[in-house]
Amino acid sequence: MNVPLLDLVAQYRGIKDELLPALQAVIESQQFIMGPGVARLEAEIARLSRARHGIGCASGTDALLLPLKVLQLRPGDEVITTPFTFFATAGTVHNAGGTPVFVDIEPETFNVAPVAVEAALTARTRALLPVHLFGQMAALERLLPLAERRDLRVIEDAAQAIGARRRIAGEWRLAGELGWVTGFSFYPSKNLGAWGDGGMMVTSDDAVADRLRKLRLHGGPKQYHHDEVGTNSRLDTLQAAVLLGKLPHLAAWSARRREHAAYYSEALADVPQVRTPCVDPTNEHVFHAYTLRVERRDELQARLQREGIGTAVYYPIPLHLQKCFSHLGYKLGQLPEAERAAGEVLSLPIYPELARPQLDYVIDAIRGFYR
Ligand SMILES: *Cc1c(COP(=O)(O)O)cnc(C)c1O
């Protein structure tokens, strides 16, 4: 049997007849840039995350870079974030002119540890950049008060967490609802994936929404009138049509991911060499990734690959140990939980279209390896 890490062709087969006419309509209209579908998608994503504004942009990376640019960071200005994430989280801080400050994670959720964030606050801290890693929200109810006290901005990296929720003070809060600005990615492998690159920022701050709308169009509110220097970072109309076609399926896809996760976790619960993902009871996870901690990780991964099972290591080198950040002076051993996670994690196939026999095949292979 073959169980790839992700099978986008399986998803395509299921939705092709719905999506292709919408793409054809965009092609017939020839309105590829800022066509009407873009505004519709912006409204839908804003609604989904209970924010007032959605602003489409070219990628999830730009959805973090543009709000960081709004902050007009000066050299030495600090943004506190996690080292256990995709590179873009910290790369954008650097590219916006600031310094990423890496703090350790909670071993259970892999998300940034609020106590570590608090300990890293300095007079130069300008913003917090938590990541809702693998589809589970970070502890915003502890980060937001820290930010409020010092007038810091909170930018949520929700690239992996569209539609995720967390119960805060007795109420469900969506990824994107509480942060100053939140970035989503529509990279094809994300839970809501385009057929190319794409991203979206959401915010409930009217003034910031205005700034972001300008920044993605060379800083001009009106063509050929430039208030500030921005860039070209638009979501194109064809991608908006794909995403509008997929959006009605997202809740069911997330539910399928949770079902698969529960099935794996139950079947692997008694394997002592495997620790299944820990879902914080106040979170509704959307399982962008289903990530185990395992013994003899690299050997297990090689064995699964030989048996036709795709897996991935997200992420093998924490960002504080990346060569490009060596000038920041972090040392091995400094952020032990992130470093331990990097050595132990293995993500299994979790896409919605997986069938039960495929899950059983993965489970049997893992159990067989440790037997
Ligand atoms: C995918 C991702 C991004 C960047 O998104 P792109 O659309 O690939 O630019 C940023 N942060 C995290 C955590 C991601 O997973």
Side-chain angles (χ1 to χ4, degrees):
M1 191 182 291
N2 226 36
V3 190
L5 180 63
L6 179 63
D7 184 359
L8 287 174
V9 174
Q11 186 192 62
Y12 171 67
R13 279 198 206 103
I15 55 175
K16 158 181 184 182
D17 293 342
E18 294 168 41
L19 262 61
L20 292 182
L23 280 150
Q24 174 115 35
V26 174
I27 294 166
E28 301 285 340
S29 80
Q30 293 287 299
Q31 288 192 54
F32 297 117
I33 303 298
M34 303 304 284
V38 174
R40 264 207 324 275
L41 181 72
E42 290 174 337
E44 293 283 339
I45 300 295
R47 202 163 54 122
L48 172 70
S49 28
R50 294 209 201 120
R52 263 217 294 277
H53 307 276
I55 302 109
C57 60
S59 67
T61 299
D62 278 2
L64 301 173
L65 180 64
L66 297 181
L68 285 161
K69 290 234 185 225
V70 170
L71 293 177
Q72 295 181 297
L73 301 174
R74 278 163 313 185
D77 280 356
E78 297 170 352
V79 177
I80 302 177
T81 191
T82 168
F84 196 61
T85 176
F86 179 62
F87 182 76
T89 310
T92 50
V93 173
H94 174 91
N95 283 336
T99 302
V101 172
F102 298 111
V103 303
D104 216 349
I105 58 168
E106 302 173 327
E108 300 82 15
T109 63
F110 303 109
N111 280 326
V112 75
V115 285
V117 171
E118 184 164 19
L121 293 169
T122 73
R124 300 303 305 271
T125 310
R126 298 285 313 282
L128 310 182
L129 179 33
V131 179
H132 303 318
L133 198 72
F134 302 148
Q136 158 159 251
M137 284 177 70
L140 288 185
E141 72 284 358
R142 294 172 64 198
L143 299 174
L144 291 164
L146 293 179
E148 181 133 11
R149 234 176 291 147
R150 292 181 168 242
D151 199 27
L152 310 175
R153 302 288 166 265
V154 174
I155 300 173
E156 297 175 56
D157 182 342
Q160 304 184 0
I162 192 161
R165 314 191 284 177
R166 182 172 176 91
R167 201 177 260 288
I168 295 178
E171 275 188 72
W172 284 111
R173 303 295 201 144
L174 271 291
E177 182 177 353
L178 298 177
W180 174 64
V181 179
T182 297
F184 293 108
S185 166
F186 303 129
Y187 183 78
S189 69
K190 297 288 158 81
N191 286 24
L192 181 65
W195 290 351
D197 274 310
M200 178 82 64
M201 302 165 282
V202 299
T203 182
S204 290
D205 181 325
D206 300 345
V208 171
D210 241 38
R211 289 281 306 281
L212 293 170
R213 279 196 193 97
K214 287 190 225 167
L215 280 173
R216 72 166 168 189
L217 286 173
H218 288 301
K222 192 159 117 196
Q223 213 174 12
Y224 310 124
H225 295 67
H226 303 276
D227 295 347
E228 59 186 313
V229 178
T231 186
N232 171 359
S233 180
R234 295 174 295 235
L235 178 71
D236 75 69
T237 320
L238 282 169
Q239 298 306 340
V242 170
L243 294 162
L244 281 167
K246 285 190 178 191
L247 193 55
H249 299 279
L250 182 63
W253 287 339
S254 299
R256 279 293 278 175
R257 289 172 179 271
R258 280 191 290 274
E259 278 171 33
H260 294 337
Y263 190 75
Y264 274 139
S265 289
E266 195 183 330
L268 295 169
D270 63 340
V271 182
Q273 298 89 344
V274 170
R275 258 189 297 162
T276 56
C278 182
V279 183
D280 181 327
T282 64
N283 268 329
E284 186 175 75
H285 206 313
V286 294
F287 284 102
H288 173 63
Y290 178 87
T291 304
L292 303 172
R293 285 179 188 263
V294 298
E295 289 178 17
R296 296 192 285 139
R297 192 258 319 273
D298 295 348
E299 256 182 272
L300 172 64
Q301 183 175 35
R303 164 79 83 92
L304 295 178
Q305 183 171 2
R306 281 199 299 278
E307 299 189 8
I309 298 166
T311 62
V313 174
Y314 309 127
Y315 297 91
I317 305 173
L319 300 188
H320 68 292
L321 300 178
Q322 295 286 348
K323 194 161 142 198
C324 66
F325 291 134
S326 61
H327 62 283
L328 298 176
Y330 292 89
K331 298 278 175 285
L332 186 68
Q334 200 171 341
L335 301 174
E337 291 300 346
E339 293 165 22
R340 186 171 308 130
E344 294 180 352
V345 288
L346 189 68
S347 298
L348 303 183
I350 190 74
Y351 56 92
E353 297 77 14
L354 279 170
R356 211 25 92 70
Q358 292 178 295
L359 297 176
D360 288 331
Y361 182 71
V362 175
I363 291 160
D364 289 346
I366 294 171
R367 297 184 69 92
F369 175 77
Y370 290 112
R371 197 172 294 129

